[in-house]
Amino acid sequence: MPSAPLPSDEAERLVALRSLDLLDTPASEVFNSFVRVASRLFAVPLAAISLVDAERQWFKATVGLPMNETSRDASFSAYVILQPDEVLWVPDARLDPRFCDNPNVLGASRIRFYAGVSLIGEDGHAVGTLSIADQKSRLLNEDEIASLRDLATGVSAAIRLHGMMRRLEQDARSDPLTSLGNRREFETSLKPFGSESVALFLLDLDGFKGINDVFGHPGGDLALQEVGRRLQAAIRSGDCAFRLGGDEFALICPGMATAEARFSLAERIHAAMADTFMIDGQTVPLRTSIGIAVLPDHAGSPQELVHLADVALYDAKRAGRGTTRQAGHLPDQSGEGPSSEPGLSVHGSGSGIGLISLADRLRRALVPVGSEPFTLVFQPVVALSTQRTSSLEALVRWDLGPDGSISASEFVTLAERLGLIAHLDRWVLAAACKAAAGWPEPWLVSINVSALSFGLVDVVAMVEDALATSGLPAARLVIEMTETAFGGDVSRAREAVEGIRALGARISLDDFGAGHGSLSTLRQLPFTGMKIDRSLVANIGTDPTAAHMVRLIADFGCALDVRVVAEGVETVEQLCAVAECGVSLVQGYLLAKPAVVGDVVQAVRDAERIVTVSLGGRIPPERLTGVPQVMRSRVT
Ligand code: C2E
Ligand code: MG
Ligand code: MG
């Protein structure tokens, strides 16, 4: 058997392959579905998606092949990637000098017919193949060759999307300003600590607002970067520093078991901060308050650990600048003491009301049930192909009366932190289903449910309840899982997602592409739809990567047969661009702002008219089907 020749771009090709971060990853439904389609479409017993590594071909998905990998020399794929633009097909491998003594031809696999096409990664390099094979010899006609090529386009899109999402996930873990881990990374890092001893330091800079006021935001940024550097220099090698947001930092110090070691680190940090730091020739005073808690000494779980460190920090803050407090040594529990509301250091609340009383009001609003001060508004989602409204998304509002207002994201996050989110989601579900039951038949209602609720309560029962009480048919309900906070028990979430589907409702993944590890969530849970995050839509006209990603997500969504909505469409240009990318449903301020229940009909009319006028024949109708090139051969 001749050893397989190498393509001329081999070195770059391998770099492109590695950058996808797809080799040796677990099986995935997305890729499995592609090989199943290939096997059915061509009526062959064998189909595979393989990646061609330096010495081996590794199978990401297979039908009819028992192995995970073969040597590169024994692969057909090694030949396919020599001509990335061509479909390589062999009617009978016994008659082809390249393959006649191949072990897969001579051995138990007895391959006769083979056809393969390259999968293209970033920068156009062929990273692997989509292959079909049979133990009988056969021919391929022109249509079949074209279909195989189309299918490979879909797989290539899925592969590149995987790579991009992996990079986004990386970026999503670090704070761009200081390069320290961000809050999400902090939560992930803390989760594994069960009974192992770990000390948590929470830090909040003293008087940081003053630095921002005097030196402006650029000065504030410099100060935060400097704090990041000084923290890194102060900690031990196994410790980790994070920026949680604003001027909040955290340190996770595994095995720091003695109070002496902890206070000595705290002292090193205070000393490091006190060292001179200058901006524009002026000395900038950097000081921080520190709260410490230790697992298992003070807390039984990582969650409780954060709570207690937060309480200690709050106490340190009240004691004055540059103070350290440790949990269990709180001198003052009286008055408006910190223990009344630990863990609430959400900054920048738009309301004039203090955070602690806000949390109190939220709790009183939600428990017990009955007197909720919330309202709902609804925003249309329009199908581009028909230019008709497909659904309305329910969005919750909370009017604080004379204390002003607070954005949905803020109080939803607060409810999540207080463990109250399931109460809020239950209220919204009931109220939104009730409203939707009175709407015209074709309109669905989309309801946001926090991923955290999936871990806290029986979401399926909650949905079933809301449907039964309102009389809304399940087929008219879409649950949007807002997954920024997803980090819970996957098998439990999967059961819930499957349960919701079993009721006959749909379930969609919100904010896809925002970099919250969405692809891994999508892979693990059987969603029927996804919403492209507003940040991608906002940048679609200016950032080629955003446009590229929207196109990939649209292709990918259609290949998986899931509804893809682009949210946050604000301009005609964005509308046309997402339509061009193959997205089939749109939502955003351009079409209609969220409307109170009495104005829903008007909002729907406006939205439909604006879509019709904005598209105005600019995009050819066949482009608006939402069915990507790759699947059309299958559908028609
Ligand atoms: P989301 O589910 O992604 O909702 C879309 C958000 O984008 C809404 O903000 C909507 O008003 C806003 N939006 C829509 N079109 C545009 C646009 O063209 N431009 C811009 N800049 N924004 C647009 P809202 O209502 O403030 O909600 C924010 C987030 O709060 C939601 O994001 C969702 O994650 C959460 N949320 C809202 N209502 C609920 C709810 O009832 N339950 C739960 N669990 N979360 C909710
Ligand atoms: Mg949503
Ligand atoms: Mg969203």
Side-chain angles (χ1 to χ4, degrees):
M1 185 177 61
S3 63
L6 298 179
S8 55
D9 64 344
E10 178 66 6
E12 299 85 356
R13 197 190 70 76
L14 286 174
V15 172
L17 172 64
R18 302 274 151 74
S19 78
L20 294 171
D21 208 4
L22 188 61
L23 279 168
D24 300 307
T25 51
S28 123
E29 213 15 56
V30 171
F31 292 102
N32 289 345
S33 64
F34 277 112
V35 285
R36 283 199 301 270
V37 169
S39 153
R40 275 203 302 274
L41 187 65
F42 298 97
V44 288
L46 308 172
I49 291 170
S50 75
L51 300 179
V52 181
D53 201 0
E55 302 281 335
R56 59 173 180 157
Q57 80 165 330
W58 178 80
F59 294 114
K60 178 64 196 168
T62 56
V63 168
L65 285 170
M67 60 277 223
N68 291 330
E69 57 180 51
T70 70
S71 77
R72 180 167 175 171
D73 286 344
S75 75
F76 287 74
S77 299
Y79 290 87
V80 178
I81 60 166
L82 296 177
Q83 286 176 299
D85 300 328
E86 304 292 317
V87 173
L88 173 80
W89 70 281
V90 182
D92 189 331
R94 285 174 303 185
L95 308 178
D96 190 307
R98 290 169 296 182
F99 306 116
C100 58
D101 55 358
N102 185 300
N104 294 313
V105 176
L106 298 177
S109 306
R110 292 186 33 253
I111 288 179
R112 297 293 172 263
F113 162 74
Y114 171 86
V117 53
S118 293
L119 300 175
I120 308 299
E122 285 309 326
D123 304 325
H125 298 291
V127 292
T129 66
L130 171 68
S131 303
I132 53 173
D134 202 340
Q135 280 125 358
K136 299 189 293 258
S137 53
R138 73 175 259 187
L139 302 174
L140 272 190
N141 63 33
E142 284 302 318
D143 275 355
E144 289 172 320
I145 291 176
S147 295
L148 187 61
R149 212 192 275 281
D150 282 348
L151 200 54
T153 307
V155 181
S156 296
I159 282 180
R160 290 203 296 275
L161 184 60
H162 172 95
M164 281 189 146
M165 299 302 290
R166 284 295 253 254
R167 279 197 294 283
L168 269 182
E169 283 166 21
Q170 293 282 339
D171 292 349
R173 285 204 288 264
S174 74
D175 165 47
L177 186 64
T178 59
S179 303
L180 300 180
N182 62 11
R183 180 180 287 277
R184 187 180 172 78
E185 179 66 0
F186 166 73
E187 282 162 2
T188 313
S189 308
L190 204 56
K191 214 178 282 163
F193 288 98
S195 54
E196 254 168 277
S197 146
V198 61
L200 171 64
F201 291 59
L202 291 182
L203 293 82
D204 191 299
L205 302 187
D206 299 324
F208 180 68
K209 192 174 168 303
I211 299 180
N212 259 338
D213 290 346
V214 175
F215 300 99
H217 280 285
D221 286 354
L222 285 177
L224 290 169
Q225 285 169 335
E226 183 61 20
V227 169
R229 273 192 292 273
R230 292 184 184 190
L231 285 178
Q232 281 285 28
I235 58 181
R236 308 167 307 170
S237 70
D239 302 340
C240 273
F242 306 83
R243 177 168 170 237
L244 304 182
D247 58 351
E248 289 177 74
F249 292 80
L251 307 175
I252 296 180
C253 306
M256 194 177 268
T258 66
E260 208 182 341
R262 296 189 289 269
F263 279 100
S264 125
L265 173 57
E267 279 319 305
R268 276 208 304 286
I269 294 169
H270 289 308
M273 294 294 162
D275 207 359
T276 316
F277 174 59
M278 315 264 287
I279 301 177
D280 295 342
Q282 285 192 60
T283 309
V284 181
L286 295 180
R287 293 289 184 280
T288 184
S289 302
I290 303 179
I292 308 175
V294 182
L295 198 109
D297 305 22
H298 305 125
S301 68
Q303 248 169 339
E304 200 188 345
L305 184 70
V306 176
H307 252 61
L308 291 177
D310 223 358
V311 174
L313 174 61
Y314 192 97
D315 202 61
K317 274 286 260 209
R318 290 196 315 162
R321 304 176 141 234
T323 310
T324 305
R325 284 279 185 271
Q326 178 170 279
H329 299 277
L330 301 175
D332 175 18
Q333 295 286 335
S334 62
E336 27 52 294
S339 54
S340 61
E341 207 46 85
L344 290 178
S345 40
V346 181
H347 290 300
S349 149
S351 65
I353 179 176
L355 205 46
I356 290 179
S357 49
L358 190 62
D360 234 39
R361 267 174 86 161
L362 188 59
R363 183 174 290 118
R364 274 185 282 124
L366 286 166
V367 200
V369 204
S371 58
E372 294 80 0
F374 309 110
T375 52
L376 291 179
V377 288
F378 297 91
Q379 191 182 27
V381 175
V382 175
L384 289 174
S385 58
T386 57
Q387 286 145 36
R388 289 278 168 265
T389 294
S390 149
S391 62
L392 289 127
E393 177 175 12
L395 296 159
V396 67
R397 295 290 177 264
W398 184 17
D399 186 357
L400 294 172
D403 289 321
S405 65
I406 175 169
S407 77
S409 311
E410 272 178 304
F411 71 86
V412 165
T413 309
L414 187 59
E416 288 181 338
R417 290 190 74 179
L418 292 169
L420 293 171
I421 187 64
H423 293 277
L424 180 65
D425 284 339
R426 187 190 306 277
W427 182 86
V428 172
L429 260 168
C433 287
K434 186 168 160 215
W439 293 345
E441 265 296 311
W443 300 349
L444 313 180
V445 62
S446 298
I447 301 176
N448 294 286
V449 174
S450 160
L452 280 185
S453 288
F454 282 74
L456 291 172
V457 287
D458 184 350
V459 173
V460 183
M462 199 158 102
V463 170
E464 216 172 356
D465 249 23
L467 289 172
T469 312
S470 62
L472 183 77
R476 292 183 53 201
L477 173 64
V478 185
I479 299 295
E480 286 187 17
M481 180 160 134
T482 55
E483 68 91 51
T484 15
F486 186 75
D489 178 346
V490 176
S491 60
R492 186 162 176 181
R494 176 197 289 277
E495 256 172 50
V497 171
E498 283 167 356
I500 288 168
R501 290 187 61 171
L503 294 176
R506 309 170 199 210
I507 175 147
S508 174
L509 180 60
D510 209 348
D511 304 333
F512 190 85
H516 302 297
S518 350
L519 193 65
S520 50
T521 314
L522 188 72
R523 263 203 306 264
Q524 293 175 73
L525 306 174
F527 291 101
T528 57
M530 53 188 171
K531 259 193 174 174
I532 301 177
D533 190 59
R534 206 165 69 216
S535 59
L536 289 176
V537 176
N539 294 328
I540 196 164
T542 48
D543 175 3
T545 315
H548 190 52
M549 276 201 69
V550 170
R551 189 181 300 276
L552 286 176
I553 295 171
D555 277 4
F556 181 65
C558 290
L560 287 181
D561 203 17
V562 303
R563 276 163 56 100
V564 178
V565 181
E567 69 180 2
V569 174
E570 292 184 347
T571 65
V572 175
E573 289 70 32
Q574 287 167 358
L575 180 75
C576 292
V578 296
E580 277 282 1
C581 287
V583 170
S584 49
L585 295 148
V586 289
Q587 175 185 16
Y589 291 169
L590 171 70
L591 287 66
K593 293 215 163 152
V596 296
V597 73
D599 296 343
V600 157
V601 172
Q602 189 58 46
V604 161
R605 258 191 228 132
D606 291 347
E608 293 176 349
R609 188 176 46 78
I610 286 167
V611 170
T612 308
V613 172
S614 306
L615 289 175
R618 261 173 269 210
I619 316 279
E622 69 274 12
R623 299 283 280 281
L624 298 175
T625 58
V627 180
Q629 201 64 37
V630 35
M631 287 287 129
R632 270 182 222 147
S633 52
R634 184 158 70 105
V635 172
T636 50

